[in-house]
Amino acid sequence: MNRENVLFGVVGLLAGYLLAFHLVVHINQSQPAPRPAGGPAQGGDGRSLPSNEVKDRQRLQSEAEQAVAAARGNRASFEAQKAAAEALLEAENWAAALEFLTRANELRPDDYGTLVKLGHANSETENYEAAEKWFKAALAKKPEDNDARSELALTYFLRTPQQTERAIAELTRGLDADPTHLATLHNLSLMYIQTGKLAEAESTIGRLERVNPSYAQLPRLRSALDDARQKKTASS
């Protein structure tokens, strides 16, 4: 996983405005649809994929299959399990990656990268309680990792029933350590909007804008805040 490429994807709507952007480390969460016989490959929305994207997905799938075969042939090798897990994660096959991440963790329980990836894979498969466990294990080793802390907060925010106050508390803790962490500022802004704490949302968006005035998601954040204000006014 490239921890530098932190992207935000939409996870839902609440009362007609944008609820949250899910902090992720891959381009999207959908698996490619099976290719129909005699037809072009399609994405999750039914549209044909560009030929270069089809080739990329086929390459990633082939690499994952090779890595999986090597890992299953050498179960005592941490590196083989790690390689298989990473190949599956790159191919966005989160559920399959869990088998190899779990085995890698059994072989090297203290490996930090494996702990974080177990958190990611469980979160992507909506196993939020399990993801919480692994992110907490990682943060016990590196409490300064605000990427992991922000994603821990999302395990509270995305589960059912939602635990927004726990999520906000975790993000606030992260900002105490690093007031400039973009993912934390972004997610905290939206959680404040969702809970109706619009003054806090305005303040947090302002902090985000001061940290990075050219942040691409600022217009969407402000739009979500404006929508929330209008709905609050209309209901009062």
Side-chain angles (χ1 to χ4, degrees):
M1 288 185 195
N2 185 349
R3 299 291 302 164
E4 300 302 320
N5 290 329
V6 179
L7 305 174
F8 299 94
V10 176
V11 298
L13 295 172
L14 179 68
Y17 63 83
L18 195 60
L19 172 63
F21 304 119
H22 184 190
L23 180 67
V24 295
V25 291
H26 287 85
I27 298 300
N28 61 59
Q29 300 179 37
S30 61
Q31 291 298 309
R35 180 172 180 168
Q42 295 181 325
D45 58 4
R47 292 181 298 175
S48 297
L49 295 172
S51 60
N52 60 335
E53 186 173 345
V54 172
K55 291 177 181 177
D56 284 345
R57 292 192 179 197
Q58 291 173 340
R59 174 184 58 79
L60 291 172
Q61 182 62 30
S62 176
E63 291 174 354
E65 290 171 356
Q66 293 175 38
V68 163
R72 287 182 173 155
N74 191 1
R75 291 174 179 262
S77 168
F78 169 81
E79 294 300 333
Q81 308 313 308
K82 176 182 175 182
E86 290 180 346
L88 288 164
L89 291 171
E90 185 69 16
E92 301 179 10
N93 194 340
W94 323 110
L98 285 168
E99 172 189 345
F100 302 96
L101 289 170
T102 300
R103 194 172 299 133
N105 177 254
E106 290 170 352
L107 292 167
R108 291 190 191 174
D110 293 332
D111 183 73
Y112 184 77
T114 301
L115 296 174
V116 172
K117 287 168 188 170
L118 277 162
H120 292 322
N122 276 287
S123 187
E124 291 290 353
T125 54
E126 300 183 7
N127 295 316
Y128 297 120
E129 289 80 5
E132 174 190 354
K133 166 191 166 183
W134 293 112
F135 284 131
K136 282 184 172 179
L139 286 164
K141 294 180 175 297
K142 291 186 180 180
E144 72 278 8
D145 186 350
N146 264 7
D147 286 340
R149 190 170 301 283
S150 186
E151 294 187 54
L152 170 62
L154 283 168
T155 70
Y156 301 132
F157 186 62
L158 295 171
R159 71 181 62 183
T160 303
Q162 201 172 60
Q163 298 178 11
T164 306
E165 292 306 317
R166 289 184 74 186
I168 288 174
E170 205 64 56
L171 293 175
T172 301
R173 181 180 176 186
L175 286 180
D176 288 341
D178 180 5
T180 67
H181 193 256
L182 289 177
T184 301
L185 288 165
H186 178 112
N187 291 325
L188 185 58
S189 298
L190 284 158
M191 290 182 197
Y192 279 143
I193 292 171
Q194 191 226 350
T195 53
K197 298 178 179 179
L198 304 186
E200 290 89 339
E202 175 66 42
S203 175
T204 306
I205 292 171
R207 290 174 65 180
L208 176 54
E209 188 169 21
R210 288 191 293 274
V211 170
N212 186 353
S214 61
Y215 183 61
Q217 296 293 341
L218 275 169
R220 296 177 72 184
L221 287 168
R222 292 215 172 271
S223 177
L225 179 57
D226 289 343
D227 286 350
R229 283 175 171 153
Q230 292 172 14
K231 292 182 185 302
K232 185 174 182 179
T233 299
S235 64
S236 62

